[in-house]
Amino acid sequence: MDMKQRIADLVGDMLRAAFPDAQGLPDDLAALLEVPPDPALGDYAFPCFKLSKALRMGPPMIAQKLAAGGGRPDIARVECVGGYLNFFFNRENFAKELLSALLAAPEQWGASEAGKGKTVCLDYSSINIAKRFHLGHLSTTVIGNSLKRIYDFQGWHTVSINHLGDWGTQFGKMICAYKKWGDRQAVEQGGVDEMTRLYVRFGEEAAKDPALEDEGRAWFKKIEEGDPEALEIFQWFKDVTLKDALRVYDVLDVHFDSYAGESFYADKTGRVVRELEEKGLLKDSDGAKIVDLEAYGMPPCLILKSDGATLYHTRDIAAAIYRKETYQFDQCLYVVAYQQDLHFKQLFKVLELMGYDWAKDQCKHVSFGMVSYEGQAMATRKGHVVLLDELLTRAQEKALDIINEKSPNLENKEEAARQVGVGAVVYATLQNNRIKDIDFWWDRALNFDGETGPYVQYTHARCCSVLRKAPADLPAPDYGALTDDESQALLRLLSRFPEAVAEAALRNEPSIVTRATTDIAKAYNKFYYEHRILDDNAAATAARIALTSACRQVIKTGLYLIGVHAPERM
Ligand code: ARG
């Protein structure tokens, strides 16, 4: 039930009929089809401009000639307007075919096998050990989670990786501070905050007594050499940090297949350095080792410090090679803020210079803009970082207030508030093109009427409520009841939903799904206000119920794909 493809086929037939000997016509006619901005101009339009050269004829003339031939029962009419050929569906037939196809496997609407047999690695969230999970990591977490779901839905095998920031001399310093001034219970209770306190104290003390720096380095060396005590404390710091993070992941319903972070690659960087050396790519620079990237207009990529320590880049090179060898990925996505644009450009270039050709078109930096909070940068609101779990808790409280006011008799209000509050935050993060900076406002995000998560969720709950009221014994639908403009607008959006999902995967852009889902919700509400759904005409009621049911499912799928729950009542 791909109307776009059908129209493309029809255009193909028309072309062959009107111009049997034409050469050099485009193969993919579907790609040329456009959706007219105003539905009064048709359901699809075919612009004839691109054919002008091959056919040596003006576009309006081509349109005329084409329109003369062909025709199909599912197309009500074809009109020429200038160089465009406008196609109008047979409305009743369209409603019938679309709803029959959609409702035959409702949960699969939008699914595809485009990625069958292919693997995508997704590196997202990738938090840093001993640091709080703050809002800087919100976008990467929810964009990555959404992309994982979208790719899964498109038939890919997905591997989600939390590339933990868990390597570096700071961990030696932290252990050193812990040994001197720390206390097991304080860390257990204070978690990351206590680790931060220790780290800050280390800095202060080291300013007075520089010998401390050496001690800190010595502790890091112990981690590197596998000293049991150092490893035990280090692992414990990690566990404490992850315990915090897992609470947030749980609320967001985010999961990882692997937590292999920077430390995991510590014993795999030797090979990278050797390989770079053998391939003649390493250069000395004041005792450090670098790969010169001047020829590519980039600063050098640092591989080893003068003391022989590896860097963020070194471990990322090892990680990319490891992922390729372990998962044989067809794509490897890095969902990381745009501040790291240069880091990834350098990374991919070095891999390419090493002869790993796949880096060039299989590794992608999926970057995104900054999040600010009611006009202020999220990370520094009132001088302290805005923490993700605080934000989510606050969202749930606010959602509960609204639910108490709007639906005081709702059962299980806490659960609904959880889904609505969290949904509002996730939706707001995925609402716009990911490269755009986001300014988050409570009023805006939690508004039940604007373009928000709660609005879309509310529309889903509205569909559920209509379906609950529907009589059980409806006859076969009369699709003639769905030929009005509102029903048709909704049907058109439903029919294009699969395209939106495919496009979202292609461009790594979850906001395309957010947009498509929101448009469906808006169109449903318009339909709902303009038409009585349950009336005396049982066959017409059945048709409107079928449309409601299709809509409910597609909204639910769309929300799922962006990582938002769809409560049935709210
Ligand atoms: N931990 C890093 C940060 O918080 C992000 C890591 C991204 N992934 C990677 N493979 N470099 O900035």
Side-chain angles (χ1 to χ4, degrees), residues 512-557:
I512 297 173
V513 174
T514 317
R515 177 82 264 149
T517 311
T518 308
D519 286 346
I520 290 171
K522 283 164 78 174
Y524 184 78
N525 287 320
K526 193 144 191 239
F527 162 76
Y528 178 88
Y529 287 118
E530 301 281 333
H531 301 275
R532 179 191 281 276
I533 296 181
L534 309 173
D535 71 7
D536 300 341
N537 182 338
T541 299
R544 291 188 291 260
I545 285 295
L547 180 55
T548 300
S549 170
C551 211
R552 184 201 69 86
Q553 178 59 49
V554 176
I555 293 178
K556 183 173 176 168
T557 301

Side-chain angles (χ1 to χ4, degrees), residues 176-204:
C176 179
Y178 170 71
K179 293 287 290 178
K180 285 188 187 303
W181 316 294
D183 166 86
R184 193 150 194 116
Q185 238 198 321
V187 174
E188 289 288 356
Q189 274 165 13
V192 169
D193 290 343
E194 177 62 14
M195 293 179 216
T196 312
R197 201 187 63 78
L198 288 170
Y199 188 61
V200 170
R201 169 119 186 233
F202 183 93
E204 288 162 7

Side-chain angles (χ1 to χ4, degrees), residues 472-504:
D473 50 350
L474 286 169
D478 168 14
Y479 294 102
L482 302 179
T483 53
D484 60 277
D485 288 350
E486 294 76 31
S487 304
Q488 290 287 312
L490 185 49
L491 288 163
R492 266 196 299 270
L493 291 171
L494 292 172
S495 83
R496 285 182 208 134
F497 181 75
E499 270 177 64
V501 181
E503 174 105 357

Side-chain angles (χ1 to χ4, degrees), residues 279-562:
K279 292 176 176 162
L281 293 164
L282 268 197
K283 259 171 92 172
D284 268 313
S285 164
D286 293 330
K289 302 266 187 206
I290 60 157
V291 176
D292 188 350
L293 296 176
E294 210 189 327
Y296 309 97
M298 288 186 268
C301 177
L302 252 65
I303 303 294
L304 290 177
K305 290 197 228 167
S306 50
D307 63 1
T310 60
L311 288 116
Y312 184 41
H313 260 134
T314 330
R315 295 183 290 276
D316 252 336
I317 298 170
I321 297 171
Y322 175 86
R323 289 173 190 172
K324 185 69 186 178
E325 289 175 352
T326 307
Y327 305 114
Q328 271 102 40
F329 62 68
D330 299 275
Q331 274 199 40
C332 183
L333 308 181
Y334 298 82
V335 185
V336 186
Y338 70 79
Q339 283 91 338
Q340 295 193 32
D341 272 358
L342 177 61
H343 170 80
F344 287 104
K345 282 209 186 89
Q346 292 172 303
L347 171 64
F348 302 157
K349 186 46 99 183
V350 172
L351 286 164
E352 194 193 321
L353 292 174
M354 289 172 87
Y356 296 116
D357 292 335
W358 43 263
K360 209 172 159 169
D361 35 58
Q362 297 184 347
C363 291
K364 286 198 187 105
H365 177 203
V366 177
S367 67
F368 53 82
M370 267 219 335
V371 184
S372 57
Y373 181 87
E374 309 211 330
Q376 300 167 50
M378 282 256 187
T380 58
R381 184 169 157 259
K382 296 208 190 88
H384 80 295
V385 290
V386 178
L387 303 174
L388 195 45
D389 50 358
E390 274 172 18
L391 178 91
L392 293 173
T393 306
R394 218 168 131 205
Q396 293 172 59
E397 288 164 7
K398 288 190 175 244
L400 187 59
D401 288 347
I402 298 176
I403 289 173
N404 272 328
E405 194 190 303
K406 289 204 173 219
S407 335
N409 301 320
L410 186 70
E411 273 174 50
N412 223 337
K413 279 189 227 161
E414 270 74 24
E415 181 55 19
R418 197 178 71 86
Q419 300 190 353
V420 172
V422 174
V425 172
V426 172
Y427 180 100
T429 313
L430 298 178
Q431 184 167 22
N432 292 310
N433 196 310
R434 61 184 152 72
I435 210 64
K436 248 179 101 165
D437 292 340
I438 300 169
D439 197 2
F440 186 91
W441 297 83
W442 283 113
D443 296 354
R444 214 190 288 152
L446 280 166
N447 191 337
F448 277 48
D449 303 317
E451 291 193 359
T452 63
Y455 169 79
V456 180
Q457 288 174 315
Y458 190 73
T459 310
H460 172 266
R462 166 171 282 163
C463 292
C464 291
S465 149
V466 169
L467 295 172
R468 278 194 298 271
K469 288 184 204 130
D473 50 350
L474 286 169
D478 168 14
Y479 294 102
L482 302 179
T483 53
D484 60 277
D485 288 350
E486 294 76 31
S487 304
Q488 290 287 312
L490 185 49
L491 288 163
R492 266 196 299 270
L493 291 171
L494 292 172
S495 83
R496 285 182 208 134
F497 181 75
E499 270 177 64
V501 181
E503 174 105 357
L506 207 67
R507 300 194 358 218
N508 296 313
E509 186 60 81
S511 66
I512 297 173
V513 174
T514 317
R515 177 82 264 149
T517 311
T518 308
D519 286 346
I520 290 171
K522 283 164 78 174
Y524 184 78
N525 287 320
K526 193 144 191 239
F527 162 76
Y528 178 88
Y529 287 118
E530 301 281 333
H531 301 275
R532 179 191 281 276
I533 296 181
L534 309 173
D535 71 7
D536 300 341
N537 182 338
T541 299
R544 291 188 291 260
I545 285 295
L547 180 55
T548 300
S549 170
C551 211
R552 184 201 69 86
Q553 178 59 49
V554 176
I555 293 178
K556 183 173 176 168
T557 301
L559 287 175
Y560 171 80
L561 291 176
I562 61 167

